[in-house]
C-alpha cells in the first residue's frame, strides 16, 4: 500500500513540474483531490485494511493530501506572480518627462499680492472698501486738505476730464466718502478700513514710470488712536507682509492730509540693515508715507477731531508687487503680454 | 540744499558732538539727509610756499623750472601755470602730501626733477578755478599749513529739498542750526548784526508798494564799496554749498540767502533810484541777469524804477541794473512776496531760481530787516570803509497774524499714546523758539513768525514739534484697545475674487490689466469705433484721450498682440468703464467683467460656447442661479448681428455676449474665431445668492423619455424646454438637451434630442402612465409647430 502512495506522490510531482497554466493546476486538483481523484480512490481502499495498517496508511495518505494541496497552492501563486511579472514587463513605458497638457490660467500679479495683503488686514479686523477711479476735484483734493493753490494741484500731474472730473491721483480720494459712509466710530470700536485702488498720473511712461498704477491705503479712526498705535500697527503689518520681523523707523514727512506726517522706512530687505547698494548703504528703505489724519480731513469727513483721532498710511501696491516678483519693467503689468502674465499661477 | 557744519558751528557749539550721529538724528527729527560729504580730507601737507627762483624750461614754452621755499627747505618744482612768477606766494603741496585726486611724490617732469606742486583752487577743492595757481599776498607766512589759513575741512550734508517744502524756516543755515541746537539741547547763538536805527536820520529811499502781492519791502542804500573780492573762507563756504563765487556783493547776497534763507538783491545804486513794486496789465519786454530777453506776461510782479522794470520780483534781477565788479554803491533789497504768485510766475517764465524756490515756501516777513542788518555787518567787517547813505526804508503792508495755540497735557497724551512730561514739552518748544506759558497741564504757545506763515497753525502741529524732537525711536509701542467683533465679508469683493479664481483655474483664462482709455491707434487698426462719453483734456499722450465705455476693444487689441505666440487664448479683466453721465453730470463709472476667447484653430461656435460656459458657470457657482438670454441689438461694430445676446440674471439684463463680427475678426487674423462677453459687475454682485433648498430623494425609480424632434432655425431649445415644462404634471422633473444634428436627409431641418425625466415620490410610475404624459406633451409641441422625427 505504501508503495502506491509513494508512486502517487512522485507521479504528482512530475506532473506539477510540467504544469504551466492555471487551468492545468485546477485540472490536477480535480485529478488528485476531487471526489473521483487518485488520492480519494486510495482512501476508499482503506476500509479493507486492519486497524493498525489503516491507521498508518491513513496518516500517510492524509499527509500526502495536505502536501498536494499546499504544493498546488504554491504553484498557483507562482503562476500568478509570473503573470504579473509578464504584465509589467510587457507594459508600455510611460515617459514622465513629457509635460501634461493642462489649461492653467493665471491671475494678474497685482491681484495676487493685493489679495494677500487684504487677507492680512481682514485678519486684523479691517473692512475692505472700493473707491471710484473717477473722482471730483473735491474728493481728490479739497477733502484731503489740498487747497486750491497747492502745488500738487498744478495741472500737469492730474488727468482732467471733459466733464470737470479727474482720474484720481491717489487712493486718499476715497477717504471722505468712507468717513461719511461709516460716520463717527463708537467708543472702543475704531473704524478700520483698507481701500486699494488704481491711481493715475499724467506723465510719460518708461521702465520705472507708469501713468496707471495701484496703491493701497488704510486708516483707523477712533476715540483713542495714537502715534504709538500707528508705529505698532505698521510694524506688525509689515512683518506680516514681508514674512519676517521688520524694523521700522519714522521720519517727519509732509503730506497735507496728515499731521504729523511721516515717511516710514524699513530695514533693507536685501542686506537686513548693514548697508548695500540697494539701500545706498543706509541700511534703510523708504517704504511708505503715513501719519495721523489731519483734523481738517476728519472735519470734512463729518468726524469731530476734538473727539476722534486716526492714522492713515499708503502703500504702493504696484511697487510692492514688482519687489515681490522681481519685475524690472513696470510696463509689463498693463501690457496684456501673456508670455509675461501667464507666469503668475 | 547743502549745509556746512562749519557754518552751523557759527551759531551752535558743536564741540564733542558726534557729527555723523547728529546728522542721523536730524534725518529722523527734521528732514531727510541724502548725502554726507567730507571736504578737505584728501588735502594733506599743503603749505604756503614762495617761488624764489624761476627759469624757463629750455624745451617747453609752457613749463617753468622753480625753486620753491616751503618753509623747511628750498625744493625744485616744475610748474606749468601761466600766472606763476618769481616771488609769487603760492599754495605748495609737498612731497608725500596730496591734493584732490592726486598723491604728490618725487617726480621727473620733462627731464627735470620736481619735488612738489603749486596748486590751483580747483586742485584744493575750494573752487572750479583751474586757470592758474592760487596766489596769496605777502602777509601769508611761508611754511604755514594751508588749512590754518582756509577752513577747508568741513562736513557738508545735503538735505532733500522736497522734505523742506513745508518748512520755510529751514532754507538757510540759521534755521537748520536752530534744529540742531534743539536736538543737542544747546543754546542757539544770536545773529551778529548792525543796528540800523543809527541811520534813522538819513533820507529814506523813494519806495512804494503798488500791489497786494508784495507783503513787505525793505531796502537801504550803501556807497563807497572798495573791495570786490570775497574773503577766502566765504568763497569756500559758498563753493561747498554749491554756489559759485562771483564778486563780493553778489557773493554776499548769496551768502545771506544761504545763511538766513532770505533772498536779497543788490541793484547798482547809480542805475536804480526809486523802488516801485507793481504788476502791469500788458506784456513787457525785459532782459534778465542771464542776458535773456523775456516777454513778461501781465500780472507778474516787477520791481521798477518808476515804470521801468529793474527786476522780476522774487525771481531774478535785470541785466541793466546788475552790480558789476566795479560797482561802488548799491541799493540793497530784502523783501517778502506772496508765495503762490511767485510760484506761478516762475512756472510761467520757466525760471525756477534759488530765490523763487524759497519765496514759494512762504518766507517769514520778519526776516527782511535782520537780513539787511546782517548783510551790513558782514560787509563792514570785510570792507570797513563802506558808508550807509539812506535810512532803513521799510514798507510792510501785509502782516501774517500772530498764532496762539492752546492745548493741554491730556491732548498730547492722547495723540501720542505715551507720556511726555510737561518739562520736556516746555523745553522742546522753547528751544524751537515757541513762547510757552502754562498753568499746570494747560499750555498756551505763541508760534514764532518764521513758523507762522503756513506751517504751524493748529494743535496737531504742536504735537509734531514735540514728538519729532522727542524721537519716534523712543516711542513705546502699544496696540489699540478695541472691541473684539467679527468683520462681515464684503460680498461683492468675495464675488470678484471667486470669479477671477474660477476663470483662471477652471477655464484657463489669463487675467490682464489695461488702461482706462482706448488705444486709439489699435482701435483704428482693428476698425473698432467704440462709444466714449468722457475725454481726458490734458493727457501727455494726447491721442489716447477717450475714456472707455467697454473693455472689449482693449481685450481684442491684446488678442492681436499675442497671436504671434499663441494660437488660442482666453483673457479677462475686471475693470472700470464709463457709461455716459449721471443727472448731475458725473461720469457713470461701472465695474465690468470682460472675457474674450479667441483661436485660430477652434470654430466660432466653439469659442462662443466656451465664453457662454464661463458666464453660466460663474452664475451657477456664485449665485446658484441660471443665466438666460434675450436678443440683443448689435450696438458696437464688433458685435455679431446674429450670434449675440443680452445676458439676463433673474430676468434682469446684466451684460452682453457675442461672437466677434467677422469684419473685426478678419482684421485681427484671417483664421480667427473669437467670442466676447461683458457683464456689469455691480448688477451681478447685487443679486442675492439663491439659498440651497434641499429636496428629499425619491425612493422610487424614475422613467426617462428621450424624444427626437424635427426643428428649424426658428425653434430654440429654450422654446422646446419651456413648452415641455409648461405641461402640468407633478411627476415631470426636468427637460434636458441631449444633442442636435443637421442632415441633408432632413431637408435643412435639424434633429434635436431631448430627455424628459418623470419621478414619483409615492410609487413606481408605470410605462403606460408616462406614455400618456408624453403624448400630451407631444401635442403641446405640435401646437408650436414642433413635430417628432419620424
Amino acid at each position: 500500500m505504501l508503495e502506491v502512495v509513494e508512486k502517487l506522490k512522485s507521479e504528482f510531482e512530475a506532473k506539477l513540474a510540467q504544469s504551466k497554466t492555471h487551468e492545468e493546476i485546477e485540472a490536477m486538483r480535480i485529478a488528485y483531490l476531487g471526489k473521483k481523484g487518485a488520492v480519494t480512490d486510495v482512501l476508499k481502499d482503506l476500509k479493507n485494511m486492519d486497524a493498525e495498517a489503516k491507521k498508518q496508511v491513513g496518516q500517510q495518505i492524509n499527509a500526502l493530501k495536505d502536501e498536494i494541496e499546499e504544493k498546488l497552492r504554491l504553484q498557483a501563486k507562482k503562476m500568478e506572480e509570473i503573470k504579473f511579472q509578464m504584465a509589467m514587463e510587457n507594459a508600455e513605458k510611460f515617459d514622465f518627462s513629457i509635460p501634461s497638457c493642462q489649461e492653467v490660467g493665471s491671475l494678474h500679479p497685482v491681484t495676487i499680492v493685493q489679495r494677500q495683503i487684504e487677507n492680512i488686514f481682514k485678519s486684523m479686523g479691517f473692512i475692505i472698501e472700493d473707491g471710484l477711479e473717477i473722482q471730483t476735484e473735491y474728493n481728490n483734493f479739497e477733502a484731503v486738505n489740498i487747497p486750491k493753490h497747492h502745488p500738487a494741484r498744478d495741472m500737469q500731474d492730474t488727468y482732467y476730464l471733459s466733464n470737470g472730473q479727474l482720474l484720481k491721483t491717489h487712493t486718499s480720494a476715497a477717504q471722505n466718502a468712507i468717513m461719511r459712509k461709516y460716520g463717527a466710530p463708537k467708543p472702543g470700536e475704531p473704524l478700520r478700513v483698507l481701500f486699494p485702488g488704481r491711481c493715475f498720473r499724467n506723465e510719460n511712461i518708461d521702465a520705472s514710470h507708469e501713468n496707471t498704477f495701484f496703491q493701497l491705503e488704510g486708516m483707523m479712526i477712533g476715540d483713542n488712536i495714537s502715534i504709538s498705535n500707528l508705529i505698532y500697527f505698521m510694524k506688525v503689518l509689515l512683518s506680516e507682509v514681508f514674512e519676517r520681523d521688520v524694523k521700522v523707523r519714522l521720519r517727519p514727512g509732509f503730506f497735507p492730509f496728515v499731521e504729523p506726517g511721516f515717511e516710514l522706512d524699513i530695514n533693507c530687505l536685501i542686506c537686513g540693515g548693514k548697508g548695500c547698494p540697494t539701500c545706498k548703504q543706509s541700511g534703510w528703505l523708504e517704504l511708505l508715507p503715513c501719519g495721523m489724519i489731519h483734523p481738517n480731513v476728519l472735519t470734512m469727513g463729518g468726524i469731530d477731531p476734538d473727539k476722534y483721532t486716526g492714522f492713515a498710511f499708503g502703500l504702493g501696491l504696484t511697487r510692492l508687487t514688482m519687489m515681490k516678483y522681481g519685475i524690472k519693467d513696470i510696463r509689463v503689468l498693463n501690457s496684456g503680454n501673456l508670455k509675461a502674465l501667464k507666469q503668475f499661477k | 540744499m547743502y549745509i556746512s557744519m562749519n557754518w552751523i558751528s557759527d551759531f551752535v557749539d558743536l564741540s564733542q558732538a558726534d557729527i555723523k550721529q547728529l546728522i542721523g538724528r536730524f534725518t529722523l527729527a527734521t528732514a531727510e539727509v541724502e548725502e554726507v560729504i567730507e571736504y578737505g580730507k584728501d588735502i594733506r601737507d599743503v603749505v604756503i610756499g614762495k617761488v624764489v627762483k624761476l627759469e624757463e624750461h629750455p624745451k617747453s614754452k609752457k613749463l617753468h623750472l622753480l625753486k620753491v621755499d616751503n618753509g623747511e627747505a628750498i625744493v625744485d618744482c616744475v610748474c606749468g601755470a601761466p600766472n606763476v612768477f618769481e616771488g609769487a606766494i603760492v599754495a605748495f603741496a609737498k612731497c608725500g602730501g596730496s591734493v584732490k585726486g592726486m598723491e604728490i611724490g618725487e617726480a621727473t617732469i620733462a627731464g627735470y626733477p620736481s619735488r612738489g606742486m603749486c596748486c590751483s583752487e580747483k586742485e584744493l577743492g575750494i573752487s572750479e578755478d583751474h586757470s592758474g595757481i592760487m596766489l596769496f599776498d605777502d602777509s601769508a607766512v611761508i611754511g604755514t599749513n594751508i588749512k590754518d589759513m582756509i577752513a577747508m575741512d568741513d562736513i557738508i550734508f545735503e538735505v532733500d529739498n522736497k522734505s523742506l517744502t513745508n518748512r520755510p524756516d529751514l532754507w538757510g543755515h540759521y534755521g537748520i542750526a536752530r534744529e540742531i541746537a534743539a536736538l543737542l539741547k544747546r543754546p542757539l547763538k544770536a545773529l551778529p548784526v548792525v543796528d540800523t536805527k543809527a541811520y534813522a536820520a538819513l533820507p529814506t529811499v523813494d519806495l512804494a508798494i503798488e500791489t497786494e502781492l508784495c507783503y513787505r519791502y525793505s531796502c537801504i542804500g550803501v556807497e563807497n564799496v572798495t573791495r570786490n573780492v570775497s574773503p577766502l573762507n566765504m568763497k569756500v563756504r559758498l563753493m561747498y554749498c554749491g554756489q559759485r563765487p562771483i564778486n563780493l556783493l553778489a557773493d554776499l547776497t548769496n551768502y545771506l540767502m544761504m545763511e538766513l534763507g532770505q533772498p536779497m538783491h543788490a541793484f547798482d545804486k547809480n542805475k536804480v533810484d526809486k523802488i516801485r513794486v507793481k504788476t502791469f496789465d500788458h506784456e513787457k519786454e525785459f532782459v534778465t541777469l542771464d542776458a535773456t530777453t523775456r516777454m513778461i506776461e501781465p500780472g507778474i510782479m516787477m520791481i521798477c524804477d518808476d515804470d521801468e522794470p529793474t527786476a522780476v520780483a522774487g525771481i531774478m534781477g535785470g541785466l541793466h541794473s546788475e552790480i558789476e565788479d566795479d560797482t561802488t554803491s548799491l541799493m540793497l533789497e530784502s523783501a517778502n512776496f506772496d508765495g503762490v504768485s511767485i510760484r506761478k510766475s516762475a512756472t510761467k517764465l520757466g525760471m525756477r531760481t534759488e530765490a523763487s524756490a524759497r519765496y514759494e515756501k512762504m518766507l517769514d516777513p520778519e526776516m527782511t530787516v535782520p537780513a539787511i542788518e546782517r548783510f551790513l555787518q558782514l560787509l563792514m567787517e570785510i570792507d570797513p570803509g563802506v558808508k550807509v547813505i539812506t535810512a532803513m526804508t521799510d514798507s510792510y503792508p501785509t502782516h501774517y497774524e500772530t498764532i496762539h495755540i492752546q492745548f493741554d497735557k491730556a491732548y498730547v497724551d492722547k495723540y501720542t499714546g505715551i507720556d511726555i512730561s510737561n518739562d520736556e514739552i516746555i523745553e522742546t518748544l522753547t528751544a524751537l523758539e515757541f513762547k510757552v506759558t502754562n498753568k499746570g497741564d494747560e499750555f498756551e504757545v505763541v508760534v514764532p513768525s518764521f513758523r507762522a506763515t503756513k506751517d504751524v497753525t493748529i494743535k496737531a502741529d504742536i504735537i509734531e514739534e514735540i514728538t519729532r524732537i522727542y524721537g519716534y525711536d523712543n516711542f513705546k509701542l502699544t496696540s489699540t484697545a478695541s472691541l473684539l467683533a467679527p468683520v462681515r465679508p464684503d460680498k461683492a469683493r468675495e464675488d470678484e475674487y471667486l470669479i477671477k479664481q474660477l476663470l483662471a483655474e477652471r477655464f484657463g483664462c489669463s487675467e490682464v490689466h489695461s488702461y482706462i482709455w482706448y488705444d486709439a491707434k489699435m482701435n483704428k487698426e482693428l476698425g473698432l469705433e467704440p462709444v466714449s462719453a468722457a475725454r481726458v483734456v490734458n493727457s501727455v499722450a494726447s491721442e489716447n484721450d477717450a475714456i472707455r465705455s467697454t473693455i472689449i476693444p482693449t481685450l481684442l487689441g491684446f488678442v492681436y498682440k499675442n497671436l504671434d505666440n499663441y494660437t488660442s487664448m482666453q483673457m479677462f479683466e475686471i475693470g472700470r468703464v464709463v457709461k455716459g453721465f449721471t443727472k448731475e453730470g458725473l461720469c457713470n463709472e461701472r465695474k465690468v467683467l470682460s472675457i474674450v476667447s479667441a483661436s485660430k484653430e477652434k470654430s466660432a461656435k466653439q469659442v462662443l460656447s466656451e465664453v457662454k460656459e464661463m458666464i453660466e458657470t460663474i452664475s451657477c457657482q456664485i449665485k446658484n442661479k441660471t443665466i438666460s438670454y434675450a436678443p440683443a441689438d448689435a450696438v458696437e461694430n464688433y458685435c455679431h448681428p446674429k450670434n449675440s445676446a443680452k445676458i439676463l440674471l433673474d430676468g434682469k439684463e446684466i451684460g452682453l455676449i457675442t461672437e466677434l463680427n467677422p469684419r473685426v475678426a478678419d482684421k485681427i487674423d484671417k483664421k480667427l474665431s473669437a467670442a466676447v462677453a461683458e457683464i456689469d459687475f455691480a448688477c451681478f454682485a447685487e443679486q442675492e445668492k439663491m439659498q440651497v433648498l434641499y429636496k428629499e430623494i425619491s425612493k422610487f425609480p424614475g422613467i426617462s423619455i428621450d424624444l427626437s424632434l424635427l426643428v428649424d432655425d426658428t425653434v430654440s431649445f429654450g422654446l422646446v424646454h419651456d413648452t415641455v415644462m409648461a405641461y402640468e404634471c407633478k411627476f415631470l422633473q426636468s427637460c434636458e438637451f441631449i444633442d442636435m444634428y443637421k442632415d441633408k436627409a432632413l431637408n435643412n431641418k435639424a434633429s434635436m434630442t431631448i430627455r424628459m425625466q418623470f419621478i414619483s415620490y409615492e410609487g413606481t410610475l408605470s410605462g403606460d402612465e408616462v406614455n400618456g404624459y408624453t403624448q400630451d406633451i407631444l401635442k403641446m409641441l405640435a401646437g408650436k409647430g414642433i413635430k417628432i422625427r419620424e
Side-chain angles (χ1 to χ4, degrees), chain A residues 8 62 79 131 155 163 180 185 195 210 214 230 267 312 315:
Chain A
L8 206 60
N62 276 327
M79 295 283 192
M155 280 284 276
N163 70 335
R180 295 206 168 271
F195 37 114
E210 244 297 357
F214 284 84
L230 164 64
N267 54 334
L315 192 60

Side-chain angles (χ1 to χ4, degrees), chain B residues 217-220 249-250 253-254 262-268 272 275 286 289 303 310-312 314-319 321-323 330-335 355 359 372 375:
Chain B
Y217 199 101
S218 315
C219 53
I220 202 161
L249 294 176
T253 57
N254 285 329
Q262 172 69 50
M264 299 183 87
H265 189 69
F267 296 102
D268 188 331
V272 171
I275 301 281
F286 183 64
L289 262 181
I303 312 298
T310 52
V312 186
I315 301 175
M316 196 182 268
L319 189 64
S321 59
E322 183 190 18
I323 35 166
L330 67 142
M331 172 79 85
L332 190 59
E333 162 197 301
S334 178
Y359 277 122
I372 287 177
F375 186 103

Side-chain angles (χ1 to χ4, degrees), chain B residues 264-511:
Chain B
M264 299 183 87
H265 189 69
F267 296 102
D268 188 331
K269 181 86 172 63
N270 294 326
K271 293 167 188 162
V272 171
D273 187 32
K274 288 181 209 159
I275 301 281
R276 297 285 179 272
V277 188
K278 63 205 274 187
T279 58
F280 292 94
D281 54 11
H282 54 274
E283 267 195 339
K284 203 97 182 149
E285 198 179 84
F286 183 64
V287 185
T288 42
L289 262 181
D290 52 1
T292 309
T293 307
R294 298 170 191 270
M295 289 310 290
I296 308 293
E297 279 185 43
I300 293 181
M301 191 177 6
M302 307 286 291
I303 312 298
C304 304
D305 187 354
D306 264 339
D307 253 3
E308 206 38 57
T310 52
V312 186
I315 301 175
M316 196 182 268
L319 189 64
H320 173 73
S321 59
E322 183 190 18
I323 35 166
E324 293 178 71
D325 288 354
D326 57 359
T327 302
T328 57
S329 65
L330 67 142
M331 172 79 85
L332 190 59
E333 162 197 301
S334 178
N336 191 277
F337 306 109
D338 172 61
V340 174
S341 136
I342 298 292
R343 189 182 90 232
K344 295 201 162 161
S345 300
T347 307
K348 275 183 199 163
L349 291 166
M351 47 193 304
R352 222 165 152 268
T353 58
E354 287 279 337
S356 77
R358 284 173 170 79
Y359 277 122
E360 69 183 43
K361 308 297 179 302
M362 299 169 85
L363 298 175
D364 175 16
E366 294 298 319
M367 201 160 58
T368 62
V369 170
I372 287 177
E373 294 182 332
R374 175 68 177 156
F375 186 103
L376 292 177
Q377 170 79 26
L378 292 171
L379 179 61
M380 287 168 174
E381 280 172 16
I382 295 160
D383 194 351
V386 296
K387 200 175 153 203
V388 174
I389 51 168
T390 73
M392 171 70 86
T393 309
D394 182 26
S395 174
Y396 194 177
T398 307
H399 287 73
Y400 285 96
E401 270 176 52
T402 306
I403 299 173
H404 298 261
I405 298 173
Q406 282 107 18
F407 62 95
D408 57 18
K409 171 83 163 71
Y411 176 78
V412 179
D413 290 350
K414 183 174 157 180
Y415 222 92
T416 58
I418 55 169
D419 180 14
I420 300 176
S421 71
N422 286 357
D423 286 348
E424 211 158 352
I425 292 171
I426 295 167
E427 187 186 10
T428 301
L429 291 175
T430 308
L432 297 171
E433 295 189 36
F434 288 78
K435 284 198 187 69
V436 189
T437 47
N438 73 311
K439 278 187 197 153
D441 285 350
E442 302 284 328
F443 293 84
E444 174 163 345
V445 297
V446 180
V447 180
S449 61
F450 51 82
R451 302 296 303 278
T453 56
K454 68 162 180 182
D455 173 18
V456 178
T457 52
I458 55 171
K459 285 194 284 190
D461 296 323
I462 298 292
I463 297 289
E464 173 160 36
E465 298 307 306
I466 299 167
T467 53
R468 66 188 180 86
I469 302 293
Y470 179 84
Y472 298 110
D473 280 358
N474 298 324
F475 265 62
K476 188 172 151 270
L477 307 188
T478 45
S479 169
T480 53
S482 16
L483 189 77
L484 198 61
V487 179
R488 298 243 155 63
D490 174 351
K491 280 210 183 102
R493 202 159 197 88
E494 302 281 311
D495 284 359
E496 190 175 329
Y497 278 127
L498 280 171
I499 290 173
K500 286 182 177 181
Q501 213 162 331
L502 255 179
L503 289 172
E505 289 175 7
R506 178 151 168 195
F507 295 101
C509 288
S510 295
E511 186 190 5

Side-chain angles (χ1 to χ4, degrees), chain B residues 43 99-100 119-132 134 239:
Chain B
I43 309 295
V99 296
K100 271 229 150 337
C119 307
S120 70
E121 291 189 7
K122 188 177 181 183
E123 281 157 345
L124 293 173
I126 57 172
S127 94
E128 288 299 316
D129 187 0
H130 196 48
S131 61
M134 190 174 181
M239 184 69 201

Side-chain angles (χ1 to χ4, degrees), chain B residues 44-51 66-71 73-79 89-95 97 99 104 114-119 124 134 136 144-146:
Chain B
R44 239 179 23 246
D45 279 341
V46 179
V47 297
I48 298 296
K50 182 172 185 178
V51 178
L66 312 180
K67 299 273 183 205
V68 179
D69 179 358
N70 67 15
I74 293 176
V75 295
D76 291 316
C77 172
V78 181
C79 177
I89 312 286
V90 299
F92 187 71
K94 297 198 285 189
C95 272
V99 296
I104 306 299
S114 189
R115 302 282 179 271
M117 187 176 96
C118 302
C119 307
L124 293 173
M134 190 174 181
F136 293 84
T144 311
N145 192 313
I146 190 100

Side-chain angles (χ1 to χ4, degrees), chain A residues 105-106 108 111 118 130 133-134 149 158 160 162-163 165 188 198 202 210 227-229 252 259 307 336, chain B residues 28 343 414-416 461 464 476 478 483 493 504 509 511 514-515 535 537-538 540 562 585 587 589 591:
Chain A
S106 53
H108 196 279
T111 297
E118 284 183 11
D130 213 4
E133 287 182 358
I134 296 169
H149 295 296
T158 308
Y160 285 93
S162 44
N163 70 335
Q165 281 186 284
R198 203 156 72 136
N202 192 4
E210 244 297 357
I227 297 172
S228 169
N229 296 153
E259 188 61 51
K307 290 191 187 134
Chain B
L28 295 184
R343 189 182 90 232
K414 183 174 157 180
Y415 222 92
T416 58
D461 296 323
E464 173 160 36
K476 188 172 151 270
T478 45
L483 189 77
R493 202 159 197 88
C509 288
E511 186 190 5
S514 62
Y515 297 99
R535 275 187 324 99
V537 293
N538 65 330
V540 289
N562 280 297
C587 288
E589 179 180 332
K591 190 188 258 188

